[in-house]
């Protein structure tokens, strides 16, 4: 089972929920940080890293001596990453998605694959006795193209799961733009972390709207419960989104978080909260799987 932990906005406690779930998970697991622009799951889980790779995107490199300036590459590229004006061919590597289409279509073989560094993928182990796998992507500073990099991190995750089948919990990027949707695409269920403030509620609705078309089971975690009002509760009731856990608005929790502690380890009550959340996630995913089987 792959669980994506997402949120409509940053700062709701998505990473702290991911770290706590990884700590209480009672089946083999990989904890994944796909918030590649600002990965911070490692700050809570303190993994021992065992390896890393630089990830690259394949971009076109022009051999001007072969080019007839026919414009076929420019017409094909949906991202305006290659442009032909008269006898000038311009490439814009920062806009290239690495689809390879222009290289394949060039009738003169004037384009060949080059590379652009996207970021670094690291992996290792965490948890007691190092029994939890860990995977993290860190986008290169200044790099704007996170979805292709995230696909490479997910390919590494798939290889890890193929080599050793287990569950995965993904810390997704916040928001509802391309990277956030990309992060939850392959998951079996989406856990939306929110807080009961006006901003939290607004962004929670956006996240629900963005992820609903994916037709995956969704559950909510309300962090800092007790703050604000009941709008999220009403919304979840109307839309049949189960609230799987509520984490109280508590100074002790905030202090533990600020010190980089996993909050499931702060008190027996919080350990029980996250243990119950884990069980409800499993039940929700299983319920959805049974429904799919029944409809097949
Ligand atoms: S498709 Fe090839 S030959 Fe045509 S303009 Fe592009 S690089 Fe030049
Ligand atoms: S590889 Fe794809 S995205 Fe990049 S320039 Fe060529 S057609 Fe455009």
């Amino acid at each position: 089972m792959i669980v994506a932990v997402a949120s409509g906005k940053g700062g709701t406690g998505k990473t702290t929920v991911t770290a706590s779930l990884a700590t209480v998970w009672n089946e083999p697991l990989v904890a994944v940080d796909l918030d590649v622009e600002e990965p911070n799951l490692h700050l809570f889980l303190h993994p021992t890293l065992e390896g890393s790779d630089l990830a690259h995107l394949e971009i076109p490199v022009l051999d001007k001596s072969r080019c007839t300036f026919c414009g076929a590459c420019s017409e094909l590229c949906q991202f305006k990453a290659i442009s032909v004006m008269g006898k000038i061919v311009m490439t814009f590597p920062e806009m290239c998605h690495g689809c390879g289409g222009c290289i394949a279509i060039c009738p003169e073989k004037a384009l060949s694959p080059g590379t652009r560094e996207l970021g670094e993928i690291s992996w290792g182990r965490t948890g007691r006795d190092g029994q939890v796998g860990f995977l993290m992507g860190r986008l290169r500073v200044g790099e704007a193209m996170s979805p292709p990099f995230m696909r490479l991190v997910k390919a590494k995750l798939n290889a890890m799961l193929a080599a050793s089948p287990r569950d995965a919990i993904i810390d997704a990027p916040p928001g509802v733009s391309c990277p956030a949707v990309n992060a939850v695409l392959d998951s079996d269920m989406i856990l939306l972390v929110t807080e009961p403030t006006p901003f939290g509620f607004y962004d929670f609705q956006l996240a629900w709207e963005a992820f609903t078309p994916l037709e995956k089971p969704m559950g909510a975690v309300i962090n800092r419960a007790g703050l604000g009002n009941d709008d999220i509760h009403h919304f979840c009731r109307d839309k049949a989104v189960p609230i799987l856990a509520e984490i109280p608005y508590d100074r002790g929790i905030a202090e533990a978080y600020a010190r980089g502690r996993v909050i499931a380890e702060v008190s027996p009550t919080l350990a029980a909260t996250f243990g119950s959340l884990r069980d409800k996630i499993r039940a929700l995913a299983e319920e959805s799987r049974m429904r799919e089987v029944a409809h097949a």
Side-chain angles (χ1 to χ4, degrees):
M1 173 172 59
I2 299 179
V3 180
V5 184
S7 65
K9 77 175 190 68
T12 58
K14 174 178 60 63
T15 302
T16 204
V17 167
T18 308
S20 287
L21 272 176
T23 305
V24 301
W25 208 255
N26 53 2
E27 296 284 343
L29 178 74
V30 188
V32 186
D33 198 344
L34 258 187
D35 190 358
V36 298
E37 291 181 34
E38 206 172 345
N40 60 355
L41 188 59
H42 62 292
L43 299 177
F44 295 92
L45 294 181
H46 306 288
T48 302
L49 295 181
E50 296 170 337
S52 67
D53 267 340
L54 290 178
H56 296 92
L57 187 71
E58 201 170 85
I59 56 166
V61 175
L62 177 72
D63 177 351
K64 206 173 169 191
S65 66
R66 300 180 79 125
C67 180
T68 56
F69 310 101
C70 69
C73 52
S74 172
E75 278 168 34
L76 177 93
C77 184
Q78 300 295 303
F79 304 104
K80 311 285 180 219
I82 187 162
S83 178
V84 182
M85 287 183 287
K87 296 218 175 300
I88 297 173
V89 178
M90 287 188 288
T91 58
F92 303 95
E94 301 299 325
M95 292 161 68
C96 175
H97 284 237
C99 71
C102 56
I103 298 170
I105 204 177
C106 176
E108 309 300 332
K109 305 275 181 257
L111 295 171
S112 59
T115 57
R116 178 159 67 84
E117 185 187 318
L118 290 177
E120 186 175 30
I121 302 173
S122 310
W123 57 91
R125 313 211 128 264
T126 183
R128 279 187 208 97
D129 308 322
Q131 79 278 27
V132 176
F134 180 83
L135 176 64
M136 169 175 86
R138 185 190 293 279
L139 198 66
R140 180 176 60 80
V141 174
E143 174 59 58
M145 206 65 76
S146 62
F149 178 57
M150 291 169 70
R151 281 196 287 278
L152 295 171
V153 181
K154 288 199 286 183
K156 175 68 182 173
L157 171 63
N158 289 339
M160 288 169 80
L161 296 181
S164 168
R166 49 200 149 153
D167 295 329
I169 299 179
I170 293 176
D171 189 13
V176 293
S177 58
C178 250
V181 175
N182 198 295
V184 307
L185 268 184
D186 303 327
S187 65
D188 297 302
M189 78 151 287
I190 301 169
L191 193 63
L192 284 177
V193 182
T194 184
E195 58 184 18
T197 60
F199 282 135
F201 178 48
Y202 181 77
D203 291 331
F204 180 77
Q205 292 174 86
L206 291 183
W208 179 83
E209 280 169 21
F211 298 143
T212 294
L214 301 178
E215 297 184 349
K216 294 178 186 293
M218 256 193 275
V221 171
I222 299 181
N223 192 19
R224 304 185 188 102
L227 193 69
N229 58 34
D230 284 339
D231 286 348
I232 291 172
H233 292 83
H234 295 311
F235 182 85
C236 286
R237 202 172 307 128
D238 284 352
K239 306 297 184 192
V241 178
I243 296 172
L244 304 181
E246 299 199 35
I247 302 161
Y249 180 50
D250 176 271
R251 187 184 172 94
I253 294 176
E255 284 177 358
Y257 174 81
R259 289 198 194 98
R261 288 191 63 194
V262 175
I263 64 170
E265 294 178 336
V266 166
S267 73
T269 309
L270 285 168
T273 300
F274 281 98
S276 160
L277 174 59
R278 171 201 65 212
D279 296 341
K280 288 177 183 171
I281 287 171
R282 283 197 181 289
L284 191 62
E286 180 60 16
E287 208 178 285
S288 162
R289 197 185 66 79
M290 296 302 284
R291 260 201 310 273
E292 272 175 26
V293 171
H295 285 120

